Structure formats: structure tokens, C-alpha cells
Amino acid sequence: MDTAAPIRRADGSYQEPRLSPLAPAFLTRVAVAAAVLAFIVLSVRVAEVDPAKLVAGLPRLWAWASTAWPPYTGDFDAFLYRALETISIATVGTTAATLLAFPLSIFIARNVTPSPLLSIPVRAVVNAFRGIDTVVFAILFVAAVGLGPFAGVLGMIVHSLGVIAKLNAEAIETIPPAPLEAAALSGANRTKIVTYAMLPSVLPSLASVSLYVWEANVRTSTILGIVGAGGIGIEIKAAIDLLDFQKLLTLSVIVLVMVTAIDQFSAWLRRRLV
């Protein structure tokens, strides 16, 4: 007998149901667990996970690390400029994406969209932007506009546009319908409904989304230089190519300080907005 409900005895106590190994529910759980385990094993094989290689490479890694001290400070001003360039790429890219994403997020939000039918393909485009990483877009824009931070800015705009529009739309869809319906019944047009009924409810959430994306973009922009799209990644790639671990240590410390400061500032600002 296979039932999830406990059996009540004559004396009022309950008998827990017996677990049958041939019950369909039990067999389904076993099949799902076996499938998940098989997928994990397949992933380990495809990823060529080999702990022996890591153990063999640790002495070489330690030898490189031992040459990193003292850190190189000869081009410190140039490194700081690259760090500023990294933050600038993230800031310009996130700001432009926020402005472009706002009307898109209203258009694809199911509770306020002016055209439910057209919102479907627009949502698909937004998901495509979100699904492709910033680095991939940066590589494409490097081919289009050449090496430099502008390619990184363009790549960051496209990817962030998808992320912010998607998260903004989800925030808009959570607002209660009563204020929107009351504004509509009062004769307000769509612009007034969005301005006076929707924005006051979701503006803190929209600001929080943009700050979160900006924070993530600062971290992402540190590697854009590896593909030629500007930022401190250019210096990191050059240091790795030349096995210059003193310079790599300096750059790593700058990145760590920069990202930590941005994270703290963004968290502080979010606490005051939300």
C-alpha cells in the first residue's frame, strides 16, 4: 500500500505509512536521483577534473607566488588610471542601460504593458541580451569599433540592458493592482498611471536593481581588458603573459580594493534607497 497519509489506529494513535520500494512515487524519486548523479558524473568527466594535475602543479604555482614579493609600484599611476577606466566603463554602461531599459521594462511587464502580444518578442530579445555575457558582446564590438574602453562600454550596455529590463519588469509585476485600477478608473491616461501610480511603488526597487548591476559590472569590467576592451584587465593580461608576478600582485591588490570599495558604497546606497 502506497499512501502519504498516516493510518489512524483504533486507539487514536497514528501508524506511519510503510515505504514500498515498488511504489511509483518511490521509483520516480530514485530515477530522478540517479539521473542527477549521472549528470554530475558526466560533467566531471567532460570537465576533465583531475586532482592529480592540481597536486603536480602546486609546486610550480608556489614558485611563481614566491617571486611576487615585493609588489611592483613603478607604474602605479598608470595602474590607477586603468582602475579609473574600469570603473568608468561600468558606470557609463550601467547608466546608459538603465535609461534604455526603463521603457522596455514597462513594455514587457505583464500588468502594465500597452501591447501583450508585442511584449512577447520584445521579452525574447531582452532575454537574449541577458543570456549572452558582456565579454562576448565586448569581443563583437572590438571587431566593430576597435580596441579600447568604448567597445567595453557598448558590450556592457547591451548585456546590462537585458538584465535591468528583466529585473525591473519583475519588480513592476509585483505591485498590487488596486492603485493602477484606481488611477485608470479616475480617467488617467497610461503616462499618468505610470508616473503617479506605478513609479512611487517601484522606484526604490528599480534603483536597487541598477546599483546591483553597477556593482556586478565593476567586477566584470576588470576582465574586459583581456579581450582588448579597456580597463585594468589589459595590464593583468600583460603581466600574466610576461610572468611578471610582482606586477600581477600589485594589480590584484588594486582590483581587490576597488571592488570592495564599490561593494560597500553600493550596499550603503541601497540601504538608504530601499
Side-chain angles (χ1 to χ4, degrees), residues 92-106:
V92 175
T94 307
T95 302
T98 298
L99 296 175
L100 295 172
F102 181 69
L104 278 180
S105 58
I106 294 175

Side-chain angles (χ1 to χ4, degrees), residues 247-269:
K247 188 179 289 186
L248 186 60
L249 176 60
T250 305
L251 293 167
S252 299
V253 171
I254 291 174
V255 169
L256 181 62
V257 172
M258 178 182 67
V259 171
T260 302
I262 293 295
D263 285 354
Q264 294 298 318
F265 174 70
S266 178
W268 175 82
L269 205 52

Side-chain angles (χ1 to χ4, degrees), residues 1-267:
M1 182 177 181
D2 179 35
T3 174
I7 301 171
R8 186 173 185 177
R9 298 192 182 95
D11 59 359
S13 62
Y14 287 92
Q15 175 187 342
E16 293 299 326
R18 294 180 179 178
L19 184 62
S20 173
L22 297 179
F26 180 76
L27 292 176
T28 301
R29 293 191 188 98
V30 171
V32 170
V36 171
L37 182 61
F39 182 70
I40 293 173
V41 172
L42 175 65
S43 300
V44 170
R45 292 181 63 87
V46 171
E48 299 180 4
V49 176
D50 188 355
K53 287 185 178 178
L54 175 61
V55 173
L58 282 178
R60 187 165 59 250
L61 193 60
W62 174 250
W64 288 343
S66 63
T67 64
W69 191 265
Y72 177 76
T73 57
D75 298 323
F76 198 69
D77 54 343
F79 296 162
L80 290 182
Y81 179 79
R82 289 296 188 187
L84 176 62
E85 193 175 75
T86 298
I87 296 175
S88 300
I89 291 171
T91 302
V92 175
T94 307
T95 302
T98 298
L99 296 175
L100 295 172
F102 181 69
L104 278 180
S105 58
I106 294 175
F107 194 84
I108 64 176
R110 293 181 177 88
N111 56 341
V112 296
T113 178
S115 176
L117 188 62
L118 284 179
S119 70
I120 296 174
V122 175
R123 184 180 286 270
V125 172
V126 166
N127 287 337
F129 288 168
R130 186 170 58 94
I132 301 174
D133 194 77
T134 302
V135 176
V136 177
F137 283 121
I139 293 172
L140 294 175
F141 282 115
V142 164
V145 302
L147 299 171
F150 184 50
V153 169
L154 293 174
M156 194 150 284
I157 288 174
V158 177
H159 177 71
S160 301
L161 173 64
V163 175
I164 295 174
K166 169 74 174 176
L167 295 178
N168 282 357
E170 290 180 353
I172 293 171
E173 288 171 354
T174 61
I175 62 176
L180 304 179
E181 293 172 356
L185 289 174
S186 69
N189 57 26
R190 185 168 296 279
T191 302
K192 290 183 178 178
I193 292 174
V194 170
T195 304
Y196 298 109
M198 189 199 79
L199 268 182
S201 300
V202 298
L203 195 56
S205 298
L206 303 189
S208 178
V209 166
S210 294
L211 283 172
Y212 177 79
V213 173
W214 175 62
E215 180 185 315
N217 282 344
V218 171
R219 290 193 294 270
T220 301
S221 60
T222 60
I223 61 172
L224 288 181
I226 294 176
V227 297
I232 201 168
I234 291 176
E235 301 292 344
I236 292 175
K237 184 177 186 302
I240 293 175
D241 289 344
L242 298 173
L243 298 180
D244 189 341
F245 296 102
Q246 290 178 306
K247 188 179 289 186
L248 186 60
L249 176 60
T250 305
L251 293 167
S252 299
V253 171
I254 291 174
V255 169
L256 181 62
V257 172
M258 178 182 67
V259 171
T260 302
I262 293 295
D263 285 354
Q264 294 298 318
F265 174 70
S266 178

